[in-house]
Amino acid sequence: MRGLAGKTVVITGGGSGIGEAAVQRFRDAGCQVHVLDLRPGPGILPTDVADLAQVERAFAQIGPANVVINCAGISFRTPALELAPEQWNRVLSTNLTGVFNVCRTAARDMLQADGGIIINVASTNAFFGYPFYTDYNATKAGVIALTKTLAVEWAPTVRVVAVCPGYVLTPMQKAEYTPEMMAAVNAHIPLGRHALPEEIAALFAFLASEECPYFTGTALICDGGETASTAAGAGQLD
């Protein structure tokens, strides 16, 4: 991708799954990549994105970023009537408030410098009422609305884009599935399989490159055709 080498990239939730794949993709492109994650590890700045002070400390240490990718997120499979206030607050504080904390902190530097791009990870769950994920679904819909608002406010200096993956074969997803469960979900995806984390990371790299400077304020779906199908949502396990 043109224009990625030498960029400073910050990726939240970069210790696993899609975020980890994104870290590798941007490092391979010659970027200086900084990882924010709750879990400590080599090359990780331990950061709770729900805590604005921690986010600000991390960015003060990193300095201005050219590319910021908000991958950090959590979910719990819980019926709405059994959803405890503490769980609701925890999911919203991480998945929505955390995204806003990172966006606002990063944009302050971007708006005073040469601009940049912020990529927020939403989900196809934002478009459908998938059962048992009330809190998660609400946050992902909120991320899309937040993305559109910030893109308008910060244009033309900072681009803000949401990426909405469907089913992605992360290690966490693999651990939850039996072969029968995997087959049942894949049967409702037109391309017949889950996305690989590396495929979502490739979309991030494309958006951050000089190949597509006209993308902002939009939500890009990458789901193998799931939301285009009349059976969309049918693969959700009971």
Side-chain angles (χ1 to χ4, degrees):
M1 301 289 181
R2 289 189 295 114
L4 287 180
K7 297 286 188 182
T8 297
V9 180
V10 176
I11 301 175
T12 74
S16 62
I18 295 172
E20 185 177 27
V23 169
Q24 189 59 54
R25 176 74 188 216
F26 281 91
R27 283 179 175 161
D28 288 346
C31 299
Q32 182 180 11
V33 182
H34 301 271
V35 181
L36 309 187
D37 201 290
L38 268 177
R39 291 160 291 198
I44 292 177
L45 281 173
T47 307
D48 181 357
V49 295
D51 185 331
L52 179 59
Q54 291 190 39
V55 172
E56 290 177 337
R57 281 197 298 270
F59 274 86
Q61 182 173 340
I62 294 167
N66 306 111
V67 180
V68 171
I69 305 174
N70 278 300
C71 290
I74 57 174
S75 68
F76 304 94
R77 191 173 187 273
T78 308
L81 291 179
E82 299 175 14
L83 186 59
E86 294 79 10
Q87 178 181 314
W88 171 269
N89 290 333
R90 182 182 174 193
V91 172
L92 261 69
S93 66
T94 299
N95 294 9
L96 187 53
T97 302
V99 169
F100 179 58
N101 287 342
V102 173
C103 286
R104 184 172 61 173
T105 303
R108 285 201 173 101
D109 285 330
M110 289 179 173
L111 289 166
Q112 294 176 5
D114 296 325
I117 180 170
I118 298 171
I119 301 171
N120 298 324
V121 178
S123 171
T124 54
N125 283 49
F127 303 102
F128 295 97
Y130 285 120
F132 311 124
Y133 290 94
T134 306
D135 45 6
Y136 181 82
N137 298 349
T139 63
K140 293 306 182 179
V143 166
I144 293 174
L146 176 66
T147 295
K148 291 176 180 290
T149 303
L150 299 182
V152 173
E153 285 196 21
W154 296 339
T157 309
V158 177
R159 294 189 295 124
V160 190
V161 180
V163 170
C164 304
Y167 289 98
V168 181
L169 196 59
T170 62
M172 183 182 300
Q173 192 87 316
K174 287 181 183 179
E176 293 178 356
Y177 279 177
T178 64
E180 294 76 19
M181 293 163 65
M182 179 70 72
V185 173
N186 285 342
H188 293 284
I189 301 173
L191 290 188
R193 64 175 179 85
H194 283 45
L196 300 176
E198 292 77 12
E199 291 174 309
I200 308 301
L203 178 56
F204 296 161
F206 174 63
L207 290 169
S209 74
E210 293 178 356
E211 307 289 345
C212 58
Y214 207 58
F215 277 90
T216 196
T218 191
L220 299 174
I221 294 173
C222 184
D223 68 349
E226 178 201 355
T227 56
S229 169
T230 56
Q236 185 72 22
L237 299 174
D238 295 327

